[in-house]
């Protein structure tokens, strides 16, 4: 399938199911030895930059839900200013695809100097980050040639979910074991989401190819998905896009909504559908085009994804159509999604 795809970015989105499978296998092996030494952890910082920071935000959510450990995400460039206190009872999970991002390496070094234990989530075990960390959870996405990170993000999420689940299982938390049990089915569900979303998203990108401004709204862990989706639109399609927590959008930013500002709303479960549809109608009254990302039928303009069995895992699935939308919008605008002219794969 991937041999016929014309850009690395699209190819790498189609590889996400396999990347998730390999990462789950790699990380699970490491966690068998690692988990006992991490179980006494009282506080966790997640840190990274860009896409890796958004993975860190999801990390805060799942670490609390699955392991019952209080945690906080901090952008790597701000770590030494915001991460306080850092001590021997602190675990720092430093997330970086290359392991060479200067901000993430500096954050990990700062934590180590203060006695914290550092776990690197990276696909590069020979990197600077891996070398100074106490432990490495190696993601196995394979080489990612597009500057716009896609399969890297999915692999980072898989590693973070498995870390949180393992710590939760060690504490006897039932939900942690339940979520961990879904990982055998995860790769096929990711593949199904890519396949079912592609045609829908390509048509939507053609409809919006003249648009220069997007809002993306998400709630719970999908607040991070909204931020990541907006980042992909900026990087690949060169449009201004902003992600918001769904209800927070009403506190100011809604003033900017009009017929030129499409609003994409992530609907993570049936319990949120009523509130999201109500908001969608409010936006439509302001003449804004509204797109729902949902696993439930019934909305005129939507991206329909396969049913999400376990809602805590929904960030893995809902980011996929946003990645695809960024890709197809880039192509529709005549851009090269693999090489945004002002960006580099590693920021030094």
């Amino acid at each position: 399938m991937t041999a016929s795809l014309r850009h690395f970015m699209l190819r790498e989105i189609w590889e996400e199911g396999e990347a998730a499978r390999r990462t789950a296998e790699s990380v699970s092996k490491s966690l068998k030895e690692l988990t006992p030494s991490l179980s006494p952890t009282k506080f966790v910082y997640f840190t990274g930059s860009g896409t890796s920071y958004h993975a860190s935000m999801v990390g805060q959510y799942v670490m609390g839900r699955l392991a019952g450990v209080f945690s906080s995400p901090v952008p790597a460039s701000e770590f030494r200013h915001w991460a306080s206190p850092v001590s021997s009872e602190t675990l720092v999970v430093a997330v970086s695809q290359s392991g060479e991002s200067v901000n993430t390496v500096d954050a990990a070094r700062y934590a180590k100097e203060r006695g914290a234990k550092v776990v690197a989530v990276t696909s590069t075990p020979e990197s600077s980050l891996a070398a100074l960390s106490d432990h490495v959870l190696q993601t196995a996405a394979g080489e990612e040639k597009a500057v716009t990170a896609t399969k890297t993000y999915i692999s980072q999420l898989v590693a973070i979910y498995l870390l949180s689940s393992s710590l939760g299982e060690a504490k006897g938390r039932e939900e942690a074991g339940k979520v961990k049990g879904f990982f055998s089915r995860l790769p096929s569900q990711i593949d199904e989401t890519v396949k079912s979303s592609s045609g829908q998203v390509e048509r939507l990108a053609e409809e919006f190819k003249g648009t220069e401004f997007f809002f993306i709204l998400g709630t719970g862990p999908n607040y991070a998905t909204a931020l990541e989706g907006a980042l992909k639109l900026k990087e690949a399609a060169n449009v201004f896009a902003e992600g918001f927590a769904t209800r927070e959008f009403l506190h100011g930013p809604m003033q900017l909504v009009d017929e030129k500002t499409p609003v994409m709303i992530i609907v993570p479960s049936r319990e949120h559908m009523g509130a999201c549809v109500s908001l969608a109608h409010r936006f439509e009254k302001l003449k804004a085009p509204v797109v729902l990302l949902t696993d439930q039928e019934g909305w005129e303009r939507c991206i329909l994804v396969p049913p999400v069995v376990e809602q805590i895992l929904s960030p893995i699935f809902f980011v996929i159509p946003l990645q695809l939308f960024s890709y197809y919008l880039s192509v529709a605008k005549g851009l090269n999604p693999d090489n945004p002219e002002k960006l580099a794969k590693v920021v030094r």
Side-chain angles (χ1 to χ4, degrees):
M1 172 66 74
T2 57
S4 64
L5 303 179
R6 54 185 289 210
H7 291 106
F8 289 119
M9 182 179 176
L10 185 57
R11 229 178 268 187
E12 287 157 5
I13 294 171
W14 278 90
E15 292 170 358
E16 287 178 336
E18 178 61 17
R21 184 194 66 76
R22 291 197 306 262
T23 297
E25 187 176 281
S26 167
V27 169
S28 294
K29 288 179 181 177
S30 299
L31 286 171
K32 286 181 181 178
E33 299 180 4
L34 175 58
T35 302
S37 68
L38 299 182
S39 293
T41 297
K42 293 185 177 180
F43 186 85
V44 178
Y45 281 115
F46 288 91
T47 192
S49 295
T51 288
S52 296
Y53 175 63
H54 297 152
S56 298
M57 291 179 67
V58 178
Q60 178 193 16
Y61 185 91
V62 299
M63 184 63 73
R65 292 298 182 94
L66 300 181
V69 177
F70 187 73
S71 62
S72 177
V74 180
S77 60
E78 294 290 324
F79 191 84
R80 64 177 58 242
H81 305 300
W82 284 79
S84 178
V86 177
S87 69
S88 59
E89 296 181 332
T90 306
L91 171 66
V92 175
V93 181
V95 187
S96 170
Q97 183 267 335
S98 67
E100 299 296 345
S101 172
V102 65
N103 295 129
T104 308
V105 172
D106 284 350
R109 185 176 292 113
Y110 177 87
K112 284 282 290 183
E113 289 170 352
R114 282 150 185 79
K117 188 170 290 186
V118 177
V119 172
V121 175
T122 181
S123 64
T124 318
E126 68 278 7
S127 63
S128 301
L129 177 63
L132 66 83
S133 298
D134 297 286
H135 304 283
V136 177
L137 295 180
Q138 184 180 353
T139 55
E143 184 182 8
E144 189 173 61
K145 295 185 178 181
V147 170
T148 43
T150 53
K151 65 178 180 176
T152 288
Y153 184 66
I154 296 295
S155 299
Q156 290 172 345
L157 291 184
V158 168
I160 287 168
Y161 274 97
L162 286 172
L163 171 63
S164 302
S165 296
S166 295
L167 290 176
E169 271 194 315
K171 298 171 71 172
R173 295 175 67 90
E174 185 177 345
E175 186 180 5
K178 181 182 175 184
V179 167
K180 202 172 181 181
F182 281 105
F183 272 79
S184 61
R185 288 182 277 164
L186 193 66
S188 62
Q189 290 177 328
I190 290 172
D191 288 339
E192 185 182 358
T193 303
V194 175
K195 290 174 184 176
S196 68
S197 300
S198 292
Q200 303 176 69
V201 169
E202 187 171 9
R203 290 188 293 272
L204 203 63
E206 189 64 29
E207 177 183 351
F208 288 118
K209 66 181 179 182
T211 303
E212 296 297 329
F213 199 108
F214 291 86
F215 290 122
I216 306 177
L217 313 185
T219 190
N222 286 295
Y223 170 38
T225 307
L227 296 177
E228 176 62 12
L231 178 62
K232 293 283 95 68
L233 282 169
K234 292 168 187 163
E235 292 175 330
N238 201 31
V239 296
F240 189 84
E242 285 296 303
F244 290 91
T246 303
R247 294 288 302 179
E248 285 300 309
F249 185 73
L250 305 180
H251 296 272
M254 189 172 174
Q255 174 65 24
L256 300 176
V257 171
D258 60 23
E259 69 279 0
K260 295 179 290 187
T261 58
V263 182
M264 308 179 82
I265 307 174
I266 302 167
V267 186
S269 66
R270 187 171 298 277
E271 68 179 284
H272 292 95
M273 178 57 89
C276 289
V277 167
S278 176
L279 277 177
H281 287 313
R282 291 178 67 177
F283 299 145
E284 285 189 328
K285 287 179 181 178
L286 298 170
K287 299 183 180 180
V290 178
V291 180
L292 297 191
L293 283 74
T294 176
D295 61 359
Q296 302 157 57
E297 297 184 10
W299 185 256
E300 181 181 353
R301 187 191 270 122
C302 72
I303 301 172
L304 193 63
V305 302
V308 178
V309 177
E310 188 61 39
Q311 288 301 316
I312 197 172
L313 295 170
S314 62
I316 293 175
F317 300 102
F318 280 112
V319 76
I320 292 170
L322 292 171
Q323 293 172 340
L324 286 165
F325 182 64
S326 301
Y327 168 77
Y328 283 117
L329 189 63
S330 175
V331 172
K333 289 164 62 71
L335 303 174
N336 181 351
D338 291 340
N339 294 297
E341 60 183 14
K342 299 171 187 174
L343 301 178
K345 194 70 177 173
V346 180
V347 178
R348 300 182 184 277

